[in-house]
Amino acid sequence: MQKLLSNLPLHIGIIMDGNGRWATRRGLPRNLGHKEGMRAVERTIDALIKFDIKVVTFFAFSTENWKRSKEEIEGIFALVRDYL
C-alpha cells in the first residue's frame, strides 16, 4: 500500500460533466444535478486532502455552457459562489 501511495500525482485535473443529464434521467431539475455535482466536488476534495494531493483543477464551465438557459447558468454560478 505504501508503494501505491508514493506514486500518487501531485496535480489532478477533473472535468465535471453530466450533472444535468444525471438529473434529467431521474426526472429531476437540472440544477439539482449541478448541486449534486458540487457535493461530489466536496467529497473529492476531502479525499484528495487525505491523500495529500496538493493541487486539483476542476474544469466546470465551457464556452458551450453559455448556450444553456439563463436560469440554469445563474443556478450554476450561484452554487459556485455558495460553495466557495
Side-chain angles (χ1 to χ4, degrees), residues 20-78:
R21 288 187 302 276
W22 175 90
T24 299
R25 281 195 307 268
R26 288 163 176 75
L28 302 169
R30 288 181 59 83
N31 277 332
L32 184 59
H34 300 309
K35 186 172 185 174
E36 288 301 315
M38 290 304 291
R39 289 183 180 153
V41 166
E42 275 189 305
R43 292 189 305 273
T44 301
I45 290 171
D46 289 343
L48 293 173
I49 289 169
K50 288 178 185 173
F51 285 101
D52 201 31
I53 303 296
K54 302 280 189 223
V55 181
V56 61
T57 300
F58 290 94
F59 182 74
F61 202 84
S62 72
T63 55
E64 289 191 4
N65 293 141
W66 290 110
K67 298 176 186 171
R68 298 172 183 216
S69 72
K70 180 181 178 189
E71 293 78 20
E72 186 173 359
I73 292 169
E74 288 174 352
I76 291 169
F77 280 97

